[in-house]
Amino acid sequence: MPRSNHFPENNNNGYDHIHTKPLSRLRGDGYGNHHPIKCDTTIQSHNYEPDESEVWRAHVAQQHFRNRGQWWTTGKKRALKRWALTMVVGVIQGLVACFCNFASNHFSTMKYKHVNALLEVKNNAGDEIVAADDMYDMFDADGEGENEDFADEGEVKHGSAFLVFLGYNVVFAGIAALFVYLEPVAAGSGIPEIKCFLNGIDLPGVVRVRTLFCKVIGVTFSVAAGLPVGKEGPMVHSGAVVASGISQGTGSIWGVDTSFSKFDDFRNDREKRDFVACGAAAGVCSAFGAPIGGVLFSLEEGASYWSTKLTWRAFFCAMITLGTLFTVRNVDTFWGQADVEKLFSFGEFNSLTGEASNFSIWELFLFIIIGCLGGLIGAVFNAANENLTIWRMQHVNHSRLKRVVEVLLCSVGVSTISFVMPLLWNRCTELPSDMQDWTNQEKNLVEALVPFRCEAGKEYNEVASLIFTDSDTAIKQLFHFREAGEDDSSTFSSAALFLFFLPYISMATIVYGIAVPSGLFVPSLLSGAAFGRLCGHLLHKLDHTSGTFADSGTYALMGAAAVLGGMARMTISLTVILLEATGDMQYVLPLMLTLMAARFTGNVFNEGLYDIHIKLKDIPFLEAEVPTIVEKHEIVAGQVMNTEVKCIRPVERAGVVYDLLRSCSHGTFPIVDTSSGGTLYGTASRAMLCTLLQKRAFGDSSVLPEYEGGGAQRLGPRRLSPLVQWDYLERLYPKYPDIGDVDMIDDDRKCWLDLRPYANTAPYTVNETASIQRTYRLFRTLGLRHLCVVNHYNQVVGMLTRKDLLPESLTDSFIRGRHAHISANGGTFA
């Protein structure tokens, strides 16, 4: 006989009684397992498919009737509004990025000017600026001299410079931590959270307007604090929040209603997902000036569900963002010829030898080696940060105050190391003098070199020039400083590059994960550029005749791509982003080879950092590929389904539904027709049931006394409850009432709630014998929130959610099924 369904029934007095017996017991073949899932139960999934109910069909039919004979139809209006809102998203994200860049650069410049002014010591006799190192030459062998007072003054200013540097950094870091204290979701880069959101997971607070303010202002101060962080990752998050807020037209900030309009057409999970995907593309474009790379990033790393129409919209949104950046950053030229250097953070790349490329074909093998080394560095970085994050989750993250204290301690440590590293270098390098053939970009980079205890205008400190400046300038210096051979004085030496690379990437490993908004693109690019330039410099030292190897700037670019690719494991989108940022197509093949080598090498040891953090947070993320255990063993849907299913009838007592919602937290309830042997009639969502109870959309208890022992066939076409229209149900999104908002009196408990007009009569189902490969592809491709499992009689035997399809859940189900199979065969394998 088919299994009996688990649904509430009524006793003779009309009051509800809910059975607690499971829907099915564990069978010998492992069917009917119910396994614990190690996931946050507060995390819910999006519902991308509308409920095809009678009220929905009536709503669609009304629209078709209104559009009959009309040229300007509802669909065209919706499409126009969709494109208009997409344009607004691009404009606003461009303005947000310009504000963040301007503010962070302003605070950083203010800090470095103050510190450098204290490091420039003036001679009392002639007000001539001298280096701190030269002060000690004024002393005699015994340490005493006529300039003893001057030496004391220099030491005091030297200490004051460190205190001012430390004070700025600690205050800026404290402000950034304060905004994360107000909104914890604003911490980190936000890319893992956006990936999860586009995967179909509704993470609380990820796309709220309050998160946008805390993210943008927080990352502005965290970058100004001198921490090894970047703005690029948070820009992706901010673009997603902007898109979500603009498309929905509603929101609140710290309890204050900020609603400006209600776009009913876009108030659903599907439209919200598509807008967030466009916003993520706009965020990448605003960070790197790379619109095509932004679209590919949203496709490769972000959205789990994609379409051709979404590609055009993301492209349009990124285009508008780029146009906004052009407009704002070139306003001083009255929108004449655009200054490319104001847009691309990597500067302008040119061929150094006329029409020929900057590298030889045989050097492609060297670039592959650099990619492998970058993948290894990225794997070590990811492993170290993973272990550190686990420690933070156990000892720090449970307390907001401890997180703030950790930020302040990290700021003190980073500031101290950043100030001590140039002191340890303790050597001044002469500025290049013969620059007749140099471009204006290279001359400007020379002017940006930092003296730091060297004679200004004549010398510079190599390590300080990479630390006491903004990251964009440091990256440009590593990319564009010429190096012709061993004796070239206009480059960074091997020792200086190594002294900068090792502490900087170590600090980035520690800092990523603290309670400040932070990105990893710029730290990875900067440390990778130093690593690549170090490789190029060592090759030039081996080659005393100039010209055998490519310039060190080319190796710096390959190193930056290798380390970033080894950390994030991106290939297609990162290649295009770097190409658009450099503006030079000669690097297409080298970047492709380098990034593929970095990805393959890193995947040998661990996953990308974003995927690691998603798993550490126990978020039920569904990968594009089916879990590997499915390839090794035969698993079917009946083995992994959840059998604790609560079923209801097409027409049910209001008290029964109320008690059912109070007793469990299920998001969907199958509707079972008892008159046909318990076959599946449809499904009802929790939000819809709570809305109907709150609206008291039920009929009198005396209208249907004969239904107690029958089914839906006895009812016929008549409806027992007042009808709630579809547009009202849709208007409540996403703040549907909860069962705690419903007041149920005794008289209402006996009333009938007719669910037939609201039931989704065409739910997605899968047979219990279906392979898990087919089930997984169906669930992920359609972006389902739940999937009903039925037997050959179309009776509900279980329910599948994304948590049941995780690798851990599949492994647990297989083990339980194997043990049950062994027990059924007397303890031996059959």
Side-chain angles (χ1 to χ4, degrees):
M1 289 182 60
R3 284 171 279 185
S4 59
N5 296 291
H6 181 199
F7 60 91
E9 294 181 355
N10 298 90
N11 58 19
N12 296 331
N13 297 326
Y15 289 94
D16 55 278
H17 174 71
I18 301 179
H19 288 288
T20 59
K21 185 177 68 174
L23 181 68
S24 59
R25 292 190 176 92
L26 185 66
R27 303 196 320 209
D29 53 6
Y31 278 42
N33 281 333
H34 177 63
H35 45 79
I37 308 299
K38 184 185 178 183
C39 288
D40 190 350
T41 56
T42 62
I43 297 177
Q44 301 295 328
S45 299
H46 290 142
N47 187 19
Y48 295 142
E49 295 294 328
D51 291 340
E52 296 189 0
S53 59
E54 291 183 11
V55 292
W56 176 81
R57 296 186 184 95
H59 176 74
V60 174
Q62 290 176 0
Q63 288 186 340
H64 291 168
F65 180 79
R66 288 195 298 264
N67 294 332
R68 186 176 301 173
Q70 300 292 327
W71 178 83
W72 188 243
T73 61
T74 304
K76 293 180 179 179
K77 294 178 183 178
R78 185 185 301 112
L80 179 62
K81 289 193 293 183
R82 185 182 290 114
W83 285 98
L85 290 179
T86 304
M87 183 181 69
V88 173
V89 170
V91 172
I92 294 180
Q93 176 55 29
L95 296 176
V96 169
C98 290
F99 164 78
C100 185
N101 289 334
F102 173 80
S104 61
N105 291 337
H106 174 73
F107 290 126
S108 298
T109 303
M110 177 181 65
K111 176 183 67 175
Y112 290 130
K113 278 186 176 180
H114 195 175
V115 174
N116 290 331
L118 293 176
L119 291 173
E120 294 176 351
V121 184
K122 294 184 178 181
N123 189 330
N124 294 332
D127 289 339
E128 179 184 359
I129 298 177
V130 298
D133 286 341
D134 298 335
M135 293 190 302
Y136 298 99
D137 295 337
M138 301 178 183
F139 300 105
D140 53 22
D142 296 331
E144 298 179 357
E146 57 182 357
N147 295 314
E148 184 175 358
D149 295 336
F150 174 73
D152 293 338
E153 180 184 357
E155 291 178 0
V156 170
K157 289 189 176 181
H158 189 245
S160 300
F162 171 71
L163 293 179
V164 170
F165 181 70
L166 179 64
Y168 271 115
N169 289 344
V170 171
V171 170
F172 289 159
I175 295 175
L178 176 62
F179 282 97
V180 175
Y181 183 89
L182 297 175
E183 182 54 73
V185 185
S189 67
I191 293 180
E193 287 77 9
I194 297 303
K195 285 187 63 175
C196 294
F197 186 91
L198 295 175
N199 190 256
I201 305 171
D202 186 13
L203 295 177
V206 170
V207 291
R208 285 191 297 191
V209 179
R210 181 172 67 179
T211 305
L212 173 66
F213 282 100
C214 294
K215 194 82 174 186
V216 173
I217 300 177
V219 74
T220 299
F221 283 99
S222 61
V223 171
L227 297 173
V229 299
K231 303 182 292 289
E232 285 66 24
M235 285 299 100
V236 177
H237 193 179
S238 68
V241 179
V242 169
S244 174
I246 294 299
S247 64
Q248 301 304 298
T250 60
S252 61
I253 305 177
W254 289 293
V256 179
D257 186 16
T258 58
S259 303
F260 58 88
S261 180
K262 292 182 182 295
F263 302 102
D264 294 338
D265 294 337
F266 309 128
R267 294 182 59 76
N268 55 72
D269 287 337
R270 178 190 288 271
E271 292 286 351
K272 191 175 183 179
R273 173 199 66 191
D274 292 346
F275 272 101
V276 169
C278 296
V284 175
C285 178
S286 65
F288 294 100
I292 309 300
V295 176
L296 292 177
F297 174 85
S298 185
L299 172 61
E300 179 183 5
E301 286 294 314
S304 300
Y305 321 103
W306 201 260
S307 64
T308 305
K309 292 183 179 180
L310 184 57
T311 304
W312 290 111
R313 285 177 54 198
F315 178 82
F316 176 76
C317 189
M319 179 190 70
I320 296 298
T321 302
L322 185 63
T324 304
L325 296 177
F326 261 108
T327 303
V328 174
R329 294 183 180 181
N330 292 280
V331 66
D332 54 342
T333 63
F334 298 99
W335 303 292
Q337 290 185 340
D339 188 355
V340 178
E341 291 187 2
K342 292 183 178 180
L343 188 64
F344 299 141
S345 60
F346 293 170
E348 186 177 359
F349 284 74
N350 296 309
S351 178
L352 301 178
T353 57
E355 297 296 331
S357 62
N358 292 342
F359 57 91
S360 302
I361 301 299
W362 59 268
E363 287 183 283
L364 294 176
F365 296 99
L366 297 179
F367 297 155
I368 294 176
I369 295 176
I370 291 179
C372 294
L373 294 176
L376 183 61
I377 293 173
V380 174
F381 182 96
N382 294 354
N385 186 262
E386 178 182 7
N387 294 326
L388 186 59
T389 303
I390 294 174
W391 181 86
R392 282 196 179 105
M393 295 173 66
Q394 296 174 349
H395 300 90
V396 179
N397 289 357
H398 61 275
S399 171
R400 292 190 180 186
L401 182 60
K402 287 186 177 181
R403 301 192 72 187
V404 174
V405 173
E406 183 191 24
V407 171
L408 299 179
L409 293 178
C410 287
S411 178
V412 172
V414 170
S415 301
T416 304
I417 295 175
S418 300
F419 200 89
V420 169
M421 285 165 55
L423 295 177
L424 294 177
W425 181 243
N426 196 26
R427 188 172 71 186
C428 296
T429 305
E430 292 184 1
L431 291 172
S433 56
D434 186 12
M435 297 186 296
Q436 294 181 356
D437 298 333
W438 287 34
T439 63
N440 292 331
Q441 175 181 249
E442 293 171 321
K443 294 178 181 179
N444 293 334
L445 291 177
V446 171
E447 295 178 359
L449 293 173
V450 179
F452 196 88
R453 304 177 68 216
C454 297
E455 187 173 356
K458 294 183 179 180
E459 299 173 330
Y460 68 99
N461 187 304
E462 297 179 22
V463 178
S465 298
L466 298 175
I467 297 177
F468 280 77
T469 186
D470 59 278
S471 300
D472 291 346
T473 302
I475 291 175
K476 290 179 182 179
Q477 290 173 347
L478 293 172
F479 283 168
H480 300 289
F481 257 9
R482 297 191 178 186
E483 182 176 1
E486 180 184 15
D487 298 328
D488 191 5
S489 60
S490 63
T491 186
F492 294 98
S493 62
S494 302
L497 292 172
F498 183 79
L499 181 60
F500 168 77
F501 166 73
L502 194 59
Y504 185 82
I505 195 171
S506 300
M507 290 188 297
T509 305
I510 297 174
V511 167
Y512 187 76
I514 64 176
V516 295
S518 59
L520 271 180
F521 278 83
V522 165
S524 300
L525 289 171
L526 182 53
S527 58
F531 166 73
R533 192 171 183 92
L534 174 62
C535 295
H537 191 271
L538 294 177
L539 290 175
H540 281 289
K541 277 194 172 289
L542 295 176
D543 174 34
H544 297 284
T545 60
S546 176
T548 303
F549 297 98
D551 66 293
S552 295
T554 299
Y555 282 94
L557 178 61
M558 298 303 114
V563 175
L564 180 55
M567 180 275 297
R569 311 291 161 80
M570 295 186 298
T571 52
I572 303 174
S573 59
L574 187 54
T575 300
V576 178
I577 288 173
L578 295 178
L579 283 176
E580 290 184 281
T582 57
D584 199 336
M585 290 298 295
Q586 66 173 314
Y587 297 113
V588 174
L589 183 58
L591 287 175
M592 293 174 66
L593 294 174
T594 302
L595 289 172
M596 288 301 296
R599 180 183 178 89
F600 287 149
T601 304
N603 285 342
V604 172
F605 301 97
N606 49 33
E607 296 179 300
L609 187 61
Y610 300 138
D611 296 324
I612 289 176
H613 277 259
I614 289 175
K615 290 187 176 181
L616 288 179
K617 296 177 182 179
D618 291 330
I619 299 176
F621 185 88
L622 294 182
E623 300 287 350
E625 300 295 331
V626 181
T628 55
I629 186 176
V630 178
E631 301 175 357
K632 302 177 182 179
H633 307 282
E634 182 181 356
I635 305 177
V636 296
Q639 293 176 265
V640 301
M641 65 184 181
N642 195 321
T643 58
E644 290 296 327
V645 183
K646 307 293 185 179
C647 299
I648 53 180
R649 296 178 295 181
V651 179
E652 193 59 87
R653 297 283 189 182
V656 173
V657 177
Y658 178 80
D659 291 340
L660 178 63
L661 295 175
R662 299 277 303 185
S663 63
C664 67
S665 59
H666 296 180
T668 302
F669 301 90
I671 299 178
V672 174
D673 190 358
T674 56
S675 64
S676 59
T679 58
L680 178 64
Y681 182 88
T683 57
S685 65
R686 184 182 189 88
M688 183 264 291
L689 293 176
C690 292
T691 302
L692 295 179
L693 291 178
Q694 188 184 53
K695 290 287 293 182
R696 303 183 73 252
F698 34 76
D700 187 71
S701 58
S702 60
V703 298
L704 195 62
E706 70 276 7
Y707 181 68
E708 289 295 344
Q713 294 179 348
R714 295 188 180 184
L715 300 178
R718 63 172 177 162
R719 296 294 179 257
L720 307 180
S721 306
L723 197 64
V724 178
Q725 300 296 331
W726 170 260
D727 54 354
Y728 176 82
L729 298 174
E730 192 178 37
R731 196 180 307 125
L732 296 176
Y733 175 89
K735 298 180 180 180
Y736 294 105
D738 193 44
I739 190 61
D741 303 326
V742 178
D743 294 328
M744 180 66 63
I745 60 178
D746 292 339
D747 293 338
D748 291 341
R749 294 180 63 88
K750 300 179 182 179
C751 294
W752 290 105
L753 181 61
D754 193 349
L755 300 176
R756 290 173 296 170
Y758 317 103
N760 179 18
T761 55
Y764 289 100
T765 61
V766 66
N767 196 278
E768 60 181 343
T769 59
S771 65
I772 205 64
Q773 291 94 329
R774 172 175 294 185
T775 305
Y776 189 94
R777 288 193 298 267
L778 174 67
F779 194 97
R780 189 183 187 277
T781 303
L782 296 178
L784 302 180
R785 182 174 183 176
H786 56 269
L787 184 61
C788 294
V789 183
V790 298
N791 58 15
H792 297 293
Y793 301 97
N794 198 33
Q795 295 173 326
V796 180
V797 296
M799 187 76 71
L800 283 172
T801 63
R802 64 172 51 243
K803 298 176 183 179
D804 301 313
L805 298 176
L806 296 178
E808 298 82 3
S809 301
L810 295 177
T811 303
D812 180 71
S813 299
F814 174 76
I815 294 176
R816 288 173 178 266
R818 176 62 60 87
H819 289 170
H821 187 75
I822 295 173
S823 301
N825 289 275
T828 59
F829 287 99

